[in-house]
């Protein structure tokens, strides 16, 4: 009888712990995605994410020699922000570009994401105190700024123009759902 009560109590406690953990994770995901969701429609939200990543680059580029731990933490933040951003773009926006005949743009931008992954890998392998670390960060940032400029000034406005209001709304929702997957 005591063993049965103990087993039942354990099961209830485990279920409560699991439920609390899942709820906490859901809240965390919403918290991470909230700035994007509050930024507005898909193109405005992605532009806001671009600015947020550039702010992280500002912070890492402002570090001084001896701030290896800070550089590592900022690089991790950059990597996470870019992974979430890439998921949103690749699975929602670039897919929509392809559907609407803008395959070359989708392929080019998707190819840029491959270089982003390469930069993140190379920087992750490089010691943050390496004399060329900040130079590599600068090269990475320059590549990203060109990618962002192309999206914000050319590709996104062109796509927005061919989509109906309903399609733009649907793309915003789809993009936010993709962001929640990795948030």
């Amino acid at each position: 009888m005591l063993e049965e009560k103990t087993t039942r109590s354990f099961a209830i406690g485990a279920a409560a712990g699991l439920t609390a953990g899942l709820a906490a994770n859901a809240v965390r995901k919403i918290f991470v995605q909230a700035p994007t969701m509050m930024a507005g429609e898909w193109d405005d939200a992605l532009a806001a994410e671009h600015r947020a990543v550039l702010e992280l680059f500002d912070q890492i580029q402002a570090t001084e020699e001896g701030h290896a731990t800070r550089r590592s933490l900022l690089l991790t933040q950059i990597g996470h922000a870019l992974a979430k951003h890439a998921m949103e773009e690749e699975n929602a926006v670039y897919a929509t570009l392809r559907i609407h005949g803008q395959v070359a743009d989708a392929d080019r931008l998707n190819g840029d994401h491959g270089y982003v992954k390469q930069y993140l890998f190379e920087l992750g392998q490089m010691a943050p105190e390496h004399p060329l670390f900040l130079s590599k960060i600068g090269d990475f940032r320059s590549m990203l700024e060109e990618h962002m400029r192309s999206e914000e000034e050319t590709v996104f406005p062109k796509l927005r123009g061919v989509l109906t209001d309903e399609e733009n709304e649907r793309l915003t929702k789809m993009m936010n759902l993709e962001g929640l997957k990795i948030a």
Side-chain angles (χ1 to χ4, degrees), residues 39-68:
E41 295 190 11
W42 64 272
D43 50 345
D44 294 330
L46 292 172
E49 286 185 354
H50 289 166
R51 289 188 302 276
V53 166
L54 292 177
E55 287 176 17
L56 291 171
F57 271 92
D58 289 343
Q59 291 176 40
I60 200 169
Q61 289 176 303
T63 59
E64 295 177 14
E65 211 173 299
H67 291 148

Side-chain angles (χ1 to χ4, degrees), residues 62-134:
T63 59
E64 295 177 14
E65 211 173 299
H67 291 148
T69 301
R70 176 112 173 100
R71 287 178 181 178
S72 291
L73 290 171
L74 286 166
L75 183 60
T76 299
Q77 286 180 291
I78 289 169
H80 188 266
L82 289 173
K84 182 178 89 63
H85 186 79
M87 181 85 115
E88 293 166 340
E89 287 184 338
E90 292 169 8
N91 294 350
V93 179
Y94 299 171
T96 303
L97 282 170
R98 285 185 177 84
I99 290 167
H100 289 275
Q102 298 174 36
V103 175
D105 286 334
D107 288 347
R108 180 180 50 79
L109 295 170
N110 197 54
D112 288 351
H113 285 193
Y115 288 109
V116 167
K117 293 170 188 164
Q118 184 67 36
Y119 267 107
L120 287 169
F121 175 79
E122 290 172 4
L123 284 161
Q125 299 299 304
M126 183 182 278
E129 62 275 2
H130 191 284
L132 296 177
F133 183 83
L134 288 180

Side-chain angles (χ1 to χ4, degrees), residues 33-53 84-85 88-89 93 148 151-153 155-157 159-160 163 168-169 171-173 175-176:
Q33 188 65 16
T36 301
M37 294 169 86
M38 293 186 318
E41 295 190 11
W42 64 272
D43 50 345
D44 294 330
L46 292 172
E49 286 185 354
H50 289 166
R51 289 188 302 276
V53 166
K84 182 178 89 63
H85 186 79
E88 293 166 340
E89 287 184 338
V93 179
M148 293 170 180
E151 287 179 334
E152 292 179 29
E153 294 175 5
V155 178
F156 292 172
L159 179 60
R160 173 171 274 295
L163 299 178
N168 275 301
E169 186 177 321
L171 179 54
T172 298
K173 288 176 184 174
M175 185 210 66
N176 280 309

